[in-house]
Amino acid sequence: MITIYRSNADGILENIDSIEQGSWINMVDPSKEEILLISQRLNIPQDFIPAALDEEEGSRIEFEDNATLVIVDIPFTEIDDNSLTYDTYPLAIIYTENIIITVCLKNSPVLLDFAHEKVPSFYTFKKVRFMLQILYRISNYYLLYLRQINKKSLLIEKTLYKSLRNRELIQLFALQKSLVYFSTSLKSNDLTLEKLLKQEILTKYDEDRDILEDVIIENKQAIEMCSIYDNVLQGTMNVFASIISNNQNQVMKYLTSVTIVISIPTLISGMLGMNVGGIPFFDHPNGFFNMCLIVTLITIGAIMYLSKKDMF
């Protein structure tokens, strides 16, 4: 899918039908025909656009005479088994002398914010500034999703205190896996951002350089947050795995105690039910009541003894 935008003289973003100078071409999972069309129309290398369609593509910069390719990993949220999960996908930013192109496998909330004009003061014809604003927005989303992961882990921890199931531990493992993806992508992006900082065309203006430096700072902060949350989650999973095991032991101990208590009346009644002589209170008019009273007292005594041993 190809969508073309252009900022008008008043700075309002417009959706246009044809490629014009200073426009922004947003490509989402483009077909081979669309890739070929844009490559030939704008005279850019044909391998630039498909690079972002490989989920395993790493962050990098590539230069050609008439175009520059910047690939970074951006965060995504997905619904998996009715649970929100986090992952990363590559985003390609290609800019030429007159046009800027973005390519991604899915509709990214980062780019949707620009398309819906949620980001102030951006212009499609200011290609370098626009690219830096996209990078800054990506860093903001990483920080946002990391905070969400931290909140979700805290909610799961509260549930785990009384849980005997593995479901919560599996959810924590999914969050930890997301942190690994984020950490790997952020570190890869960090190398790319450092390379961008050395490009004169991107730091020609002081304001552009300030934005890029802010992006690098935000990215490093996200890397640090990833490391902290990953260590906390790993420790939490180990602790609560032990708690679940201990809870199961407590239940088994309780059930064992109940079994012992229940077996006392059964054992006595079974012995007294034998066809032999010498049964206590056999000839007594209240013999059955007396035996029941004795069995009850023995059972109560067993309960009190087991309670003192912390078996209940």
Side-chain angles (χ1 to χ4, degrees):
M1 182 180 68
I2 298 177
T3 312
I4 306 174
Y5 302 95
R6 188 180 186 280
S7 300
N8 61 21
D10 298 326
I12 299 175
L13 191 67
E14 297 177 336
N15 195 328
I16 59 178
D17 298 325
S18 59
I19 300 174
E20 300 178 6
Q21 183 173 349
S23 59
W24 162 35
I25 303 174
N26 184 31
M27 306 178 70
V28 179
D29 194 17
S31 63
K32 293 182 180 179
E33 293 76 13
E34 290 173 333
I35 293 173
L36 185 61
L37 172 65
I38 297 298
S39 298
Q40 292 180 347
R41 179 73 181 277
L42 300 178
N43 192 27
I44 61 176
Q46 292 189 12
D47 61 337
F48 271 19
I49 296 176
L53 305 180
D54 181 6
E55 295 183 9
E56 305 301 326
E57 188 71 28
S59 179
R60 72 175 196 275
I61 308 175
E62 192 171 332
F63 300 97
E64 291 290 341
D65 294 336
N66 58 334
T68 300
L69 169 68
V70 178
I71 297 181
V72 291
D73 290 326
I74 60 177
F76 271 92
T77 57
E78 297 177 330
I79 300 295
D80 185 17
D81 293 333
N82 296 324
S83 178
L84 188 66
T85 60
Y86 301 85
D87 204 345
T88 61
Y89 289 94
L91 168 68
I93 305 173
I94 306 168
Y95 66 91
T96 65
E97 185 178 354
N98 301 315
I99 303 292
I100 186 168
I101 306 168
T102 54
V103 187
C104 192
L105 275 169
K106 300 182 180 181
N107 268 318
S108 167
V110 175
L111 299 179
L112 288 176
D113 285 350
F114 287 94
H116 297 159
E117 298 186 88
K118 294 182 180 180
V119 181
S121 304
F122 89 92
Y123 305 92
T124 59
F125 52 83
K126 294 183 178 181
K127 299 178 296 298
V128 173
R129 179 75 54 82
F130 183 26
M131 183 187 71
L132 294 176
Q133 288 174 313
I134 292 175
L135 295 176
Y136 188 77
R137 198 72 175 177
I138 291 171
S139 298
N140 287 339
Y141 266 95
Y142 270 114
L143 294 173
L144 172 65
Y145 290 157
L146 284 170
R147 294 188 185 100
Q148 289 180 1
I149 290 174
N150 185 46
K151 290 181 180 179
K152 286 187 66 175
S153 66
L154 293 176
L155 291 174
I156 295 172
E157 284 179 27
K158 293 180 181 179
T159 307
L160 270 171
Y161 279 109
K162 298 180 180 180
S163 176
L164 296 177
R165 300 173 299 176
N166 293 327
R167 179 181 176 183
E168 287 75 16
L169 280 179
I170 294 173
Q171 290 177 341
L172 285 180
F173 176 74
L175 293 180
Q176 188 180 31
K177 185 169 66 174
S178 298
L179 288 175
V180 173
Y181 292 151
F182 275 18
S183 178
T184 303
S185 297
L186 284 166
K187 290 176 181 178
S188 180
N189 287 352
D190 188 57
L191 296 176
T192 301
L193 293 173
E194 293 291 348
K195 292 178 182 177
L196 284 174
L197 191 61
K198 299 177 182 178
Q199 303 301 318
E200 294 183 2
I201 189 173
L202 299 178
T203 56
K204 183 178 180 181
Y205 301 100
D206 290 339
E207 188 173 351
D208 290 347
R209 184 179 182 87
D210 291 340
I211 294 175
L212 183 54
E213 289 177 347
D214 289 341
V215 173
I216 293 175
I217 292 173
E218 294 283 301
N219 194 78
K220 291 185 181 298
Q221 182 182 352
I223 293 174
E224 186 66 23
M225 288 175 64
C226 262
S227 177
I228 294 173
Y229 293 161
D230 181 60
N231 291 335
V232 170
L233 270 181
Q234 188 172 357
T236 301
M237 289 178 63
N238 293 335
V239 169
F240 279 105
S242 300
I243 289 176
I244 289 177
S245 177
N246 183 65
N247 288 344
Q248 290 176 334
N249 291 337
Q250 292 293 334
V251 170
M252 294 302 298
K253 184 172 68 173
Y254 176 79
L255 292 176
T256 301
S257 301
V258 171
T259 303
I260 293 173
V261 171
I262 293 176
S263 66
I264 293 174
T266 304
L267 176 63
I268 295 176
S269 62
M271 294 176 63
L272 295 180
M274 295 180 181
N275 189 18
V276 294
I279 296 176
F281 307 109
F282 178 76
D283 297 324
H284 197 281
N286 296 322
F288 178 78
F289 174 78
N290 293 337
M291 285 303 304
C292 288
L293 180 61
I294 293 173
V295 171
T296 301
L297 292 175
I298 294 174
T299 303
I300 293 174
I303 293 174
M304 294 177 62
Y305 175 79
L306 292 174
S307 296
K308 289 182 179 180
K309 296 295 184 178
D310 197 25
M311 296 294 288
F312 285 102

